[in-house]
Amino acid sequence: MPGPDLVSLADTNVARLLPAYAREYPATEVIIHTRLGNMRVRLYDDTPVHKANFLLLARKGVFDETVFNRVVKGFAVQGGRSDHRTIRINDYHLPPEISPRHFHKRGALGMARYDDQKNPGKLSSNTDFYLVQGEKLTPYQAQAMAGRKLTPEQLRVYQTVGGVPSLDGQYTVFGEVVEGLDVIDKIAAEPVDNTMWPRQEVDIKMEVVEANR
């Protein structure tokens, strides 16, 4: 597959290489196939590094060797890890693209991050993504939980659709589920072990909806 070599990517070059790749090979939507159903995800243009990284790893088959590995019912389902990955890839990070326009409503797609004490810049993981399930909240509850001032529209969405406002302003949201929201609920209902890993693996297969389709 075209695009940067996955072992050549590093913190120092992703902001330059990834958006250039996405401009040459554009796409906006990805279908996440699972045994519990499919989710169609739309990626945001104003988070170009995260969008390009997701498209690159999807096309190169990285996510196809991973599973939903952390499931917290009422919160989020996280994927992108595996015990049987064969594709070589560097452990690089993505610069944050946190925007007040994008918030953690139900169905939001975000990127995880780790080692907060060593990561004051809130750099994102390169492979660990999550989909928000959350719950419906009153405007007072949502604003009390949020890490930033919410707009009236965001308060309305948290009340009618649900989400996790405590993550707002902390993690990069770079897309949202536009079809198959119920699949998040099905994954969240899976029995898990004491590490929140589903007892029966929920495999991932990703299909990029190419721009010429």
Side-chain angles (χ1 to χ4, degrees):
M1 295 296 294
D5 189 330
L6 298 179
V7 297
S8 71
L9 293 174
D11 294 11
T12 54
N13 63 21
V14 291
R16 172 175 55 86
L17 294 178
L18 291 176
Y21 160 77
R23 286 192 295 271
E24 187 173 0
Y25 301 98
T28 301
E29 294 187 340
V30 175
I31 300 173
I32 303 174
H33 299 273
T34 78
R35 63 176 173 82
L36 297 171
N38 303 329
M39 293 171 283
R40 191 179 190 99
V41 176
R42 182 171 298 140
L43 307 176
Y44 299 146
D45 290 334
D46 59 354
T47 53
V49 178
H50 284 72
K51 176 182 180 178
N53 180 72
F54 204 73
L55 291 172
L56 177 67
L57 300 194
R59 286 180 173 133
K60 285 187 176 280
V62 172
F63 291 128
D64 292 354
E65 295 188 339
T66 68
V67 298
F68 280 97
N69 58 281
R70 184 170 184 265
V71 171
V72 183
K73 190 173 184 180
F75 185 70
V77 299
Q78 183 169 307
R81 293 207 171 191
S82 174
D83 291 331
H84 47 262
R85 176 177 289 159
T86 64
I87 297 173
R88 293 181 60 227
I89 179 172
N90 271 358
D91 187 21
Y92 58 90
H93 301 85
L94 307 176
E97 297 177 294
I98 298 170
S99 168
R101 292 186 298 276
H102 306 315
F103 59 109
H104 286 82
K105 63 183 178 182
R106 169 175 160 83
L109 169 67
M111 218 65 179
R113 71 166 195 273
Y114 302 99
D115 301 324
D116 281 356
Q117 292 183 345
K118 300 178 182 178
N119 185 16
K122 298 180 181 177
L123 302 178
S124 298
S125 165
N126 60 335
T127 61
D128 292 8
F129 67 92
Y130 60 87
L131 295 163
V132 173
Q133 183 187 34
E135 58 186 1
K136 294 179 181 179
L137 301 160
T138 67
Y140 176 83
Q141 289 174 318
Q143 186 57 71
M145 294 172 62
R148 60 189 180 191
K149 179 68 175 176
L150 300 176
T151 67
E153 174 62 14
Q154 290 169 344
L155 291 171
R156 185 193 67 78
V157 171
Y158 278 130
Q159 184 172 24
T160 58
V161 176
V164 184
S166 60
L167 301 177
D168 285 349
Q170 303 299 315
Y171 299 84
T172 296
V173 174
F174 64 102
E176 63 182 279
V177 175
V178 294
E179 292 179 16
L181 271 173
D182 61 307
V183 178
I184 297 177
D185 299 329
K186 292 175 183 178
I187 298 172
E190 286 285 294
V192 298
D193 62 19
N194 58 3
T195 68
M196 301 299 179
W197 198 298
R199 295 189 180 278
Q200 181 181 353
E201 288 199 337
V202 182
D203 294 334
I204 294 168
K205 297 294 179 186
M206 287 206 189
E207 172 193 357
V208 176
V209 181
E210 300 297 347
N212 60 352
R213 288 177 55 184

